[in-house]
Coordinates of all heavy atoms in Angstrom, one line a residue:
M1 N -4.3 -24.9 20.7 CA -3.6 -25.1 21.9 C -3.1 -23.8 22.4 O -2.3 -23.1 21.8 CB -2.5 -26.1 21.7 CG -1.7 -26.4 23.0 SD -0.6 -27.8 22.7 CE 1.0 -26.9 22.6
R2 N -3.5 -23.4 23.6 CA -3.0 -22.2 24.2 C -2.0 -22.4 25.3 O -2.1 -23.4 26.1 CB -4.2 -21.4 24.8 CG -5.1 -20.9 23.8 CD -5.9 -19.8 24.3 NE -6.8 -19.2 23.3 CZ -6.4 -18.1 22.6 NH1 -5.2 -17.6 22.8 NH2 -7.2 -17.6 21.7
T3 N -1.0 -21.6 25.3 CA 0.1 -21.8 26.3 C 0.1 -20.6 27.3 O 0.8 -20.6 28.3 CB 1.5 -21.9 25.6 OG1 1.7 -20.7 24.9 CG2 1.5 -23.1 24.7
G4 N -0.6 -19.5 27.0 CA -0.5 -18.3 27.8 C 0.6 -17.4 27.4 O 0.7 -16.3 27.9
S5 N 1.4 -17.8 26.4 CA 2.5 -16.9 25.9 C 2.2 -16.4 24.5 O 3.1 -16.0 23.8 CB 3.8 -17.7 25.9 OG 3.7 -18.8 25.0
E6 N 1.0 -16.3 24.1 CA 0.6 -15.9 22.8 C 1.1 -14.5 22.4 O 1.5 -14.3 21.3 CB -0.9 -16.0 22.5 CG -1.4 -17.4 22.3 CD -1.5 -18.2 23.5 OE1 -1.5 -17.7 24.6 OE2 -1.6 -19.5 23.4
P7 N 1.1 -13.5 23.3 CA 1.6 -12.2 22.8 C 3.1 -12.2 22.4 O 3.5 -11.5 21.5 CB 1.4 -11.3 24.0 CG 0.3 -12.0 24.8 CD 0.5 -13.4 24.6
T8 N 3.9 -13.1 23.0 CA 5.3 -13.1 22.6 C 5.6 -14.2 21.6 O 6.7 -14.1 21.0 CB 6.2 -13.4 23.9 OG1 5.8 -14.6 24.5 CG2 6.1 -12.3 24.9
T9 N 4.8 -15.1 21.4 CA 5.0 -16.2 20.4 C 4.0 -16.2 19.3 O 3.8 -17.2 18.6 CB 5.1 -17.6 21.1 OG1 3.8 -17.8 21.7 CG2 6.2 -17.6 22.1
A10 N 3.3 -15.1 19.1 CA 2.2 -15.1 18.1 C 2.8 -15.2 16.7 O 3.9 -14.8 16.4 CB 1.5 -13.7 18.2
R11 N 2.0 -15.8 15.8 CA 2.4 -16.0 14.4 C 1.6 -15.1 13.5 O 0.4 -14.8 13.8 CB 2.2 -17.4 14.0 CG 2.9 -18.4 14.8 CD 2.6 -19.8 14.4 NE 2.9 -20.7 15.5 CZ 2.3 -21.9 15.6 NH1 1.5 -22.3 14.7 NH2 2.6 -22.7 16.6
S12 N 2.2 -14.6 12.5 CA 1.5 -13.6 11.6 C 1.0 -14.4 10.4 O 1.6 -15.3 9.9 CB 2.5 -12.6 11.1 OG 2.0 -11.8 10.2
P13 N -0.3 -14.1 10.0 CA -0.8 -14.7 8.8 C -0.2 -14.1 7.6 O -0.7 -13.2 7.0 CB -2.3 -14.4 8.9 CG -2.4 -13.1 9.7 CD -1.2 -13.2 10.6
L14 N 1.0 -14.7 7.2 CA 1.8 -14.0 6.1 C 1.1 -14.0 4.8 O 1.3 -13.1 4.0 CB 3.1 -14.7 6.0 CG 4.0 -14.5 7.3 CD1 5.3 -15.4 7.1 CD2 4.4 -13.1 7.4
R15 N 0.4 -15.1 4.4 CA -0.3 -15.1 3.1 C -1.3 -14.0 3.0 O -1.4 -13.3 2.0 CB -0.9 -16.4 2.8 CG 0.1 -17.5 2.5 CD -0.5 -18.8 2.2 NE 0.5 -19.9 2.2 CZ 0.9 -20.6 3.2 NH1 0.3 -20.5 4.4 NH2 1.8 -21.5 3.1
M16 N -2.1 -13.7 4.1 CA -3.0 -12.7 4.1 C -2.3 -11.3 4.0 O -2.7 -10.4 3.2 CB -3.9 -12.7 5.3 CG -5.0 -11.6 5.4 SD -6.0 -11.7 6.8 CE -4.8 -11.2 8.1
R17 N -1.2 -11.1 4.8 CA -0.5 -9.9 4.7 C 0.1 -9.7 3.3 O 0.2 -8.6 2.8 CB 0.7 -9.9 5.7 CG 0.2 -9.6 7.1 CD 1.3 -9.6 8.1 NE 2.3 -8.6 7.7 CZ 3.6 -8.6 8.2 NH1 4.0 -9.5 9.0 NH2 4.4 -7.6 7.8
F18 N 0.5 -10.8 2.6 CA 1.1 -10.7 1.3 C 0.0 -10.1 0.4 O 0.3 -9.1 -0.4 CB 1.5 -12.1 0.8 CG 1.9 -12.1 -0.7 CD1 3.1 -11.6 -1.1 CD2 1.0 -12.6 -1.6 CE1 3.4 -11.6 -2.4 CE2 1.3 -12.6 -2.9 CZ 2.5 -12.1 -3.4
W19 N -1.2 -10.7 0.3 CA -2.2 -10.2 -0.6 C -2.7 -8.8 -0.2 O -3.0 -8.0 -1.1 CB -3.4 -11.2 -0.7 CG -2.9 -12.4 -1.4 CD1 -2.8 -13.7 -0.9 CD2 -2.6 -12.5 -2.8 NE1 -2.3 -14.5 -1.9 CE2 -2.2 -13.8 -3.0 CE3 -2.5 -11.6 -3.8 CZ2 -1.7 -14.3 -4.3 CZ3 -2.1 -12.0 -5.1 CH2 -1.7 -13.3 -5.3
L20 N -2.8 -8.5 1.0 CA -3.1 -7.1 1.4 C -2.1 -6.1 1.0 O -2.4 -5.0 0.6 CB -3.4 -7.0 2.9 CG -4.7 -7.6 3.4 CD1 -4.7 -7.6 4.9 CD2 -5.9 -6.9 2.8
S21 N -0.8 -6.5 1.1 CA 0.3 -5.7 0.6 C 0.3 -5.5 -0.9 O 0.5 -4.4 -1.4 CB 1.6 -6.2 1.0 OG 1.8 -6.1 2.4
V22 N -0.1 -6.5 -1.6 CA -0.2 -6.4 -3.1 C -1.3 -5.5 -3.4 O -1.2 -4.6 -4.3 CB -0.4 -7.8 -3.7 CG1 -0.9 -7.7 -5.2 CG2 0.8 -8.7 -3.6
W23 N -2.4 -5.6 -2.7 CA -3.6 -4.6 -2.9 C -3.1 -3.2 -2.6 O -3.4 -2.3 -3.4 CB -4.7 -5.1 -2.1 CG -6.0 -4.3 -2.2 CD1 -6.5 -3.4 -1.3 CD2 -6.9 -4.2 -3.3 NE1 -7.6 -2.8 -1.7 CE2 -7.9 -3.3 -3.0 CE3 -6.9 -4.8 -4.5 CZ2 -8.9 -3.0 -3.8 CZ3 -7.9 -4.5 -5.4 CH2 -8.9 -3.6 -5.0
G24 N -2.4 -3.0 -1.5 CA -1.9 -1.7 -1.2 C -0.9 -1.1 -2.2 O -0.9 0.1 -2.5
L25 N -0.1 -2.0 -2.7 CA 0.9 -1.6 -3.7 C 0.2 -1.2 -5.0 O 0.6 -0.1 -5.6 CB 1.8 -2.8 -4.0 CG 3.0 -2.5 -5.0 CD1 4.0 -1.6 -4.3 CD2 3.7 -3.8 -5.3
I26 N -0.8 -1.9 -5.4 CA -1.6 -1.5 -6.6 C -2.2 -0.1 -6.4 O -2.1 0.8 -7.3 CB -2.7 -2.5 -7.0 CG1 -2.0 -3.8 -7.4 CG2 -3.6 -2.0 -8.0 CD1 -2.9 -5.0 -7.5
W27 N -2.8 0.1 -5.3 CA -3.4 1.4 -5.0 C -2.4 2.6 -4.8 O -2.6 3.7 -5.3 CB -4.3 1.4 -3.8 CG -5.7 0.8 -4.1 CD1 -6.1 -0.5 -3.9 CD2 -6.7 1.5 -4.8 NE1 -7.4 -0.6 -4.3 CE2 -7.8 0.6 -4.9 CE3 -6.9 2.8 -5.3 CZ2 -9.0 0.9 -5.5 CZ3 -8.1 3.1 -5.9 CH2 -9.1 2.2 -6.0
A28 N -1.3 2.3 -4.3 CA -0.2 3.3 -4.1 C 0.3 3.7 -5.5 O 0.6 4.9 -5.7 CB 0.9 2.8 -3.2
I29 N 0.6 2.7 -6.3 CA 1.1 3.0 -7.7 C 0.0 3.8 -8.5 O 0.3 4.8 -9.1 CB 1.4 1.7 -8.4 CG1 2.6 1.1 -7.8 CG2 1.6 2.0 -9.9 CD1 2.9 -0.3 -8.3
A30 N -1.3 3.4 -8.4 CA -2.3 4.1 -9.1 C -2.5 5.5 -8.5 O -2.6 6.5 -9.3 CB -3.6 3.4 -8.9
G31 N -2.4 5.7 -7.2 CA -2.5 7.0 -6.6 C -1.3 7.9 -7.0 O -1.5 9.1 -7.3
T32 N -0.1 7.4 -7.0 CA 1.0 8.2 -7.4 C 0.9 8.6 -8.8 O 1.1 9.8 -9.2 CB 2.3 7.3 -7.2 OG1 2.4 6.9 -5.9 CG2 3.5 8.2 -7.6
T33 N 0.5 7.7 -9.7 CA 0.3 8.0 -11.1 C -0.8 9.1 -11.3 O -0.6 10.1 -12.0 CB 0.0 6.8 -11.9 OG1 1.1 5.8 -11.7 CG2 0.0 7.1 -13.4
A34 N -1.9 8.8 -10.7 CA -3.1 9.7 -10.9 C -2.8 11.1 -10.4 O -3.1 12.1 -11.1 CB -4.3 9.1 -10.2
F35 N -2.2 11.2 -9.2 CA -2.0 12.5 -8.7 C -0.9 13.3 -9.4 O -0.9 14.5 -9.6 CB -1.6 12.5 -7.2 CG -2.8 12.2 -6.3 CD1 -2.9 11.1 -5.5 CD2 -3.9 13.1 -6.3 CE1 -4.0 10.9 -4.7 CE2 -5.0 12.8 -5.5 CZ -5.1 11.7 -4.7
A36 N 0.1 12.5 -10.0 CA 1.1 13.2 -10.8 C 0.6 13.7 -12.1 O 1.0 14.8 -12.5 CB 2.3 12.2 -11.0
L37 N -0.4 12.9 -12.7 CA -0.9 13.4 -13.9 C -1.8 14.6 -13.8 O -2.0 15.4 -14.7 CB -1.7 12.2 -14.6 CG -0.9 11.1 -15.1 CD1 -1.8 9.9 -15.6 CD2 0.1 11.5 -16.2
V38 N -2.5 14.7 -12.7 CA -3.4 15.9 -12.5 C -2.7 17.1 -11.8 O -3.4 18.1 -11.6 CB -4.7 15.5 -11.7 CG1 -5.5 14.5 -12.4 CG2 -4.4 15.0 -10.3
G39 N -1.4 17.0 -11.6 CA -0.7 18.1 -11.1 C -0.8 18.3 -9.6 O -0.8 19.5 -9.1
R40 N -0.9 17.3 -8.8 CA -0.9 17.4 -7.4 C 0.3 16.8 -6.8 O 0.3 15.6 -6.3 CB -2.2 16.7 -6.8 CG -3.5 17.2 -7.4 CD -3.9 18.5 -6.9 NE -4.6 18.3 -5.7 CZ -5.2 19.3 -5.0 NH1 -5.1 20.5 -5.5 NH2 -5.9 19.0 -3.9
P41 N 1.4 17.5 -6.8 CA 2.7 16.9 -6.4 C 2.8 16.5 -4.9 O 3.5 15.5 -4.6 CB 3.7 18.0 -6.7 CG 3.0 19.3 -6.7 CD 1.6 18.9 -7.2
G42 N 2.1 17.2 -4.0 CA 2.1 16.8 -2.6 C 1.4 15.4 -2.4 O 2.0 14.6 -1.7
W43 N 0.3 15.2 -3.0 CA -0.4 13.9 -2.9 C 0.4 12.8 -3.6 O 0.4 11.7 -3.2 CB -1.8 14.0 -3.4 CG -2.8 14.7 -2.4 CD1 -3.2 16.0 -2.5 CD2 -3.3 14.2 -1.2 NE1 -4.0 16.3 -1.5 CE2 -4.1 15.2 -0.7 CE3 -3.1 13.0 -0.6 CZ2 -4.7 15.0 0.6 CZ3 -3.8 12.7 0.6 CH2 -4.6 13.7 1.2
A44 N 1.0 13.2 -4.7 CA 1.8 12.2 -5.5 C 3.0 11.8 -4.6 O 3.3 10.6 -4.6 CB 2.2 12.8 -6.8
A45 N 3.6 12.7 -3.9 CA 4.7 12.4 -3.0 C 4.3 11.5 -1.9 O 5.0 10.6 -1.5 CB 5.4 13.7 -2.5
A46 N 3.1 11.8 -1.3 CA 2.6 11.0 -0.2 C 2.3 9.6 -0.7 O 2.6 8.6 0.0 CB 1.3 11.6 0.4
C47 N 1.7 9.4 -1.8 CA 1.5 8.1 -2.4 C 2.8 7.4 -2.7 O 2.9 6.2 -2.6 CB 0.6 8.2 -3.6 SG -1.1 8.5 -3.2
G48 N 3.8 8.2 -3.2 CA 5.1 7.6 -3.5 C 5.8 7.1 -2.2 O 6.4 6.0 -2.2
V49 N 5.6 7.8 -1.1 CA 6.2 7.3 0.2 C 5.5 6.1 0.6 O 6.1 5.1 1.1 CB 6.1 8.4 1.2 CG1 6.4 7.9 2.6 CG2 7.0 9.6 0.9
L50 N 4.2 6.1 0.5 CA 3.4 4.9 0.8 C 3.8 3.7 -0.1 O 3.9 2.6 0.4 CB 1.9 5.2 0.6 CG 0.9 4.0 1.1 CD1 1.1 3.8 2.6 CD2 -0.5 4.4 0.8
W51 N 4.0 3.9 -1.3 CA 4.5 2.9 -2.3 C 5.8 2.3 -1.8 O 6.0 1.1 -1.8 CB 4.7 3.6 -3.6 CG 5.1 2.7 -4.8 CD1 5.4 1.4 -4.7 CD2 5.3 3.1 -6.1 NE1 5.8 0.9 -6.0 CE2 5.7 2.0 -6.8 CE3 5.1 4.3 -6.8 CZ2 5.9 2.0 -8.2 CZ3 5.3 4.3 -8.2 CH2 5.7 3.2 -8.9
L52 N 6.7 3.2 -1.3 CA 8.0 2.7 -0.8 C 7.8 1.8 0.5 O 8.4 0.8 0.6 CB 8.9 3.9 -0.5 CG 10.3 3.5 0.1 CD1 11.1 2.8 -0.9 CD2 11.0 4.8 0.6
I53 N 7.0 2.3 1.4 CA 6.7 1.5 2.6 C 6.1 0.2 2.3 O 6.5 -0.9 2.9 CB 5.8 2.4 3.6 CG1 6.6 3.6 4.1 CG2 5.3 1.5 4.7 CD1 5.7 4.6 4.8
V54 N 5.1 0.1 1.4 CA 4.5 -1.1 1.1 C 5.5 -2.1 0.4 O 5.4 -3.3 0.6 CB 3.2 -0.9 0.2 CG1 2.7 -2.1 -0.4 CG2 2.2 -0.1 0.9
T55 N 6.3 -1.5 -0.4 CA 7.3 -2.4 -1.1 C 8.3 -3.0 -0.1 O 8.6 -4.2 -0.2 CB 8.1 -1.5 -2.2 OG1 7.2 -1.0 -3.1 CG2 9.1 -2.4 -2.9
V56 N 8.7 -2.2 0.9 CA 9.6 -2.8 1.9 C 8.9 -3.8 2.7 O 9.4 -4.9 3.0 CB 10.1 -1.6 2.8 CG1 10.8 -2.2 4.1 CG2 11.1 -0.7 2.1
D57 N 7.6 -3.6 3.1 CA 6.8 -4.6 3.8 C 6.7 -5.8 3.0 O 6.8 -6.9 3.5 CB 5.5 -4.0 4.2 CG 4.7 -4.9 5.1 OD1 5.3 -5.4 6.1 OD2 3.5 -5.1 4.8
L58 N 6.4 -5.7 1.7 CA 6.2 -6.8 0.9 C 7.5 -7.7 0.8 O 7.4 -8.9 0.8 CB 5.7 -6.4 -0.5 CG 5.2 -7.4 -1.5 CD1 4.0 -8.2 -0.9 CD2 4.7 -6.7 -2.8
T59 N 8.6 -7.0 0.7 CA 9.9 -7.7 0.7 C 10.1 -8.5 1.9 O 10.6 -9.6 1.9 CB 11.0 -6.7 0.5 OG1 10.8 -5.9 -0.7 CG2 12.4 -7.3 0.4
M60 N 9.8 -7.9 3.1 CA 10.0 -8.6 4.4 C 9.0 -9.8 4.5 O 9.4 -10.9 5.0 CB 9.8 -7.7 5.5 CG 10.8 -6.6 5.7 SD 12.5 -7.3 5.8 CE 12.4 -8.2 7.3
I61 N 7.8 -9.6 4.0 CA 6.8 -10.7 4.0 C 7.3 -11.9 3.2 O 7.3 -13.0 3.6 CB 5.4 -10.2 3.5 CG1 4.8 -9.3 4.6 CG2 4.5 -11.4 3.3 CD1 3.6 -8.5 4.0
L62 N 7.8 -11.6 2.0 CA 8.3 -12.6 1.1 C 9.5 -13.3 1.7 O 9.7 -14.5 1.6 CB 8.6 -12.1 -0.3 CG 7.4 -11.7 -1.1 CD1 7.9 -11.0 -2.4 CD2 6.6 -12.9 -1.5
R63 N 10.4 -12.6 2.3 CA 11.5 -13.1 3.0 C 11.1 -14.1 4.1 O 11.6 -15.2 4.2 CB 12.4 -12.0 3.6 CG 13.6 -12.5 4.3 CD 14.5 -11.3 4.8 NE 15.5 -11.8 5.6 CZ 15.5 -11.7 6.9 NH1 14.5 -11.1 7.5 NH2 16.5 -12.1 7.6
H64 N 10.1 -13.7 4.9 CA 9.7 -14.6 6.0 C 9.0 -15.8 5.4 O 9.1 -16.9 6.0 CB 8.7 -13.8 6.9 CG 9.5 -12.9 7.8 ND1 8.8 -11.9 8.4 CD2 10.8 -12.8 8.2 CE1 9.7 -11.2 9.2 NE2 10.9 -11.7 9.0
I65 N 8.2 -15.7 4.4 CA 7.6 -16.9 3.8 C 8.6 -17.8 3.3 O 8.5 -19.0 3.5 CB 6.6 -16.4 2.6 CG1 5.4 -15.8 3.2 CG2 6.2 -17.6 1.8 CD1 4.4 -15.2 2.2
R66 N 9.7 -17.3 2.6 CA 10.7 -18.2 2.1 C 11.6 -18.8 3.2 O 12.2 -19.8 2.9 CB 11.6 -17.4 1.1 CG 10.9 -17.1 -0.1 CD 11.8 -16.5 -1.2 NE 11.0 -16.2 -2.4 CZ 11.2 -15.1 -3.1 NH1 12.1 -14.3 -2.8 NH2 10.4 -15.0 -4.2
Q67 N 11.6 -18.3 4.4 CA 12.4 -18.9 5.5 C 11.8 -20.1 6.0 O 12.4 -20.8 6.8 CB 12.6 -17.8 6.6 CG 13.6 -16.8 6.2 CD 13.8 -15.8 7.3 OE1 13.0 -15.6 8.2 NE2 15.0 -15.2 7.3
G68 N 10.6 -20.4 5.7 CA 10.0 -21.7 6.0 C 9.1 -21.7 7.2 O 8.6 -20.7 7.7
P69 N 9.0 -22.9 7.8 CA 8.0 -23.1 8.9 C 8.2 -22.3 10.2 O 7.3 -22.2 11.0 CB 8.0 -24.6 9.1 CG 9.3 -25.1 8.6 CD 9.6 -24.1 7.5
H70 N 9.4 -21.8 10.4 CA 9.6 -21.1 11.6 C 8.8 -19.8 11.6 O 8.3 -19.4 12.6 CB 11.1 -20.7 11.8 CG 11.4 -19.8 13.0 ND1 11.3 -20.4 14.3 CD2 11.6 -18.5 13.1 CE1 11.5 -19.4 15.1 NE2 11.7 -18.3 14.5
Y71 N 8.6 -19.2 10.5 CA 7.8 -18.0 10.4 C 6.4 -18.3 9.9 O 5.5 -17.5 10.1 CB 8.4 -17.0 9.4 CG 9.6 -16.3 10.1 CD1 10.9 -16.7 9.8 CD2 9.4 -15.3 11.0 CE1 12.0 -16.1 10.4 CE2 10.4 -14.7 11.7 CZ 11.7 -15.1 11.4 OH 12.8 -14.5 12.0
Q72 N 6.2 -19.4 9.2 CA 4.8 -19.7 8.7 C 4.5 -21.2 8.9 O 4.4 -22.0 8.0 CB 4.8 -19.4 7.2 CG 3.4 -19.5 6.6 CD 2.5 -18.4 7.2 OE1 2.9 -17.4 7.7 NE2 1.2 -18.7 7.0
P73 N 4.4 -21.6 10.2 CA 4.1 -23.0 10.5 C 2.6 -23.3 10.1 O 1.8 -22.4 10.0 CB 4.3 -23.1 12.0 CG 4.1 -21.7 12.5 CD 4.5 -20.8 11.4
G74 N 2.4 -24.6 9.9 CA 1.1 -25.1 9.6 C 0.3 -25.2 10.8 O 0.7 -25.0 11.9
R75 N -1.0 -25.6 10.7 CA -1.9 -25.8 11.8 C -1.5 -26.9 12.7 O -1.8 -27.0 13.9 CB -3.3 -26.0 11.3 CG -3.9 -24.8 10.6 CD -5.3 -25.1 10.2 NE -5.9 -24.0 9.4 CZ -6.4 -22.9 10.0 NH1 -6.5 -22.8 11.3 NH2 -6.9 -22.0 9.2
D76 N -0.7 -27.9 12.2 CA -0.3 -29.1 13.0 C 0.9 -28.8 13.8 O 1.3 -29.7 14.6 CB -0.1 -30.3 12.0 CG 0.9 -30.0 11.0 OD1 1.1 -28.8 10.7 OD2 1.5 -30.9 10.5
I77 N 1.5 -27.7 13.7 CA 2.7 -27.4 14.5 C 2.3 -26.6 15.7 O 1.7 -25.5 15.6 CB 3.8 -26.6 13.7 CG1 4.2 -27.4 12.5 CG2 5.0 -26.2 14.5 CD1 5.1 -26.7 11.5
P78 N 2.6 -27.0 16.9 CA 2.2 -26.3 18.1 C 3.0 -25.0 18.3 O 4.0 -24.9 17.7 CB 2.5 -27.3 19.3 CG 3.5 -28.2 18.7 CD 3.3 -28.3 17.3
P79 N 2.5 -24.1 19.1 CA 3.2 -22.8 19.3 C 4.5 -23.1 20.0 O 4.7 -24.0 20.7 CB 2.3 -22.0 20.3 CG 1.0 -22.8 20.3 CD 1.2 -24.1 19.8
Y80 N 5.5 -22.2 19.7 CA 6.8 -22.3 20.3 C 6.7 -21.9 21.7 O 6.0 -21.0 22.1 CB 7.8 -21.4 19.6 CG 7.9 -21.7 18.1 CD1 7.4 -21.0 17.1 CD2 8.6 -22.9 17.7 CE1 7.5 -21.3 15.8 CE2 8.8 -23.2 16.4 CZ 8.2 -22.4 15.4 OH 8.4 -22.8 14.1
Q81 N 7.4 -22.6 22.6 CA 7.5 -22.3 24.0 C 8.4 -21.1 24.2 O 9.5 -21.0 23.6 CB 8.0 -23.5 24.8 CG 7.1 -24.7 24.8 CD 5.8 -24.4 25.4 OE1 5.7 -23.7 26.4 NE2 4.7 -24.9 24.9
P82 N 8.0 -20.2 25.1 CA 8.9 -19.0 25.3 C 10.1 -19.5 26.1 O 10.1 -20.5 26.8 CB 8.0 -18.1 26.2 CG 7.0 -19.0 26.8 CD 6.8 -20.2 25.8
P83 N 11.2 -18.7 26.0 CA 12.4 -19.1 26.8 C 12.1 -19.1 28.3 O 11.3 -18.2 28.8 CB 13.4 -18.0 26.4 CG 12.7 -17.0 25.6 CD 11.4 -17.5 25.3
R84 N 12.7 -20.0 29.0 CA 12.4 -20.1 30.5 C 13.2 -19.1 31.3 O 12.9 -18.8 32.4 CB 12.8 -21.5 31.0 CG 11.9 -22.6 30.3 CD 10.7 -22.8 31.1 NE 9.9 -23.9 30.5 CZ 8.7 -23.9 30.4 NH1 8.0 -22.8 30.8 NH2 8.0 -24.9 29.8
H85 N 14.3 -18.6 30.8 CA 15.2 -17.7 31.5 C 14.7 -16.3 31.2 O 14.1 -16.0 30.2 CB 16.6 -17.9 31.1 CG 16.9 -17.7 29.7 ND1 16.5 -18.6 28.7 CD2 17.5 -16.7 29.0 CE1 16.9 -18.1 27.5 NE2 17.5 -17.0 27.7
G86 N 15.1 -15.4 32.1 CA 14.8 -14.0 32.0 C 15.6 -13.3 31.0 O 16.6 -13.9 30.4
R87 N 15.4 -12.0 30.8 CA 16.2 -11.3 29.8 C 17.6 -11.0 30.4 O 17.7 -10.7 31.6 CB 15.5 -9.9 29.5 CG 14.2 -10.2 28.7 CD 13.6 -8.9 28.3 NE 12.4 -9.2 27.6 CZ 12.0 -8.5 26.6 NH1 12.7 -7.4 26.2 NH2 10.9 -8.8 26.0
P88 N 18.6 -10.9 29.5 CA 20.0 -10.7 30.0 C 20.1 -9.2 30.5 O 19.5 -8.3 30.1 CB 20.9 -10.9 28.8 CG 20.0 -11.0 27.6 CD 18.6 -11.2 28.1

């Protein structure tokens, strides 16, 4: 069901984002470890920063999943209607 307000009321596929974040987390940990072992501190630091970003994203994804259907509604729940009034 389309309402025309999809850009402002779009829903994120949180389960897919969760598994992609897990995949990224594994690669960031592996990259940090591998580059640290071969003596490439610049690349190890870059992978470490990526590891931190992925961990924060994964935390937010899990938080939204646990908040329930407002963030992860099923297919039988119609899209939320946008507010009728303008911005304050």
Side-chain angles (χ1 to χ4, degrees):
M1 179 170 103
R2 293 201 173 265
T3 62
S5 64
E6 281 79 14
T8 58
T9 59
R11 301 179 204 159
S12 176
L14 292 175
R15 287 182 191 92
M16 180 179 68
R17 282 184 57 198
F18 171 77
W19 289 111
L20 287 173
S21 290
V22 168
W23 181 250
L25 186 67
I26 291 168
W27 278 102
I29 292 169
T32 303
T33 305
F35 285 123
L37 290 176
V38 297
R40 305 286 272 185
W43 283 105
C47 287
V49 169
L50 185 62
W51 183 356
L52 178 66
I53 292 169
V54 171
T55 302
V56 169
D57 185 46
L58 194 56
T59 303
M60 292 304 297
I61 291 168
L62 288 172
R63 180 175 171 258
H64 286 161
I65 288 173
R66 289 186 181 145
Q67 284 180 338
H70 177 70
Y71 285 101
Q72 189 65 20
R75 295 184 185 271
D76 56 336
I77 298 174
Y80 298 106
Q81 293 297 322
R84 298 268 184 227
H85 60 286
R87 292 184 181 218

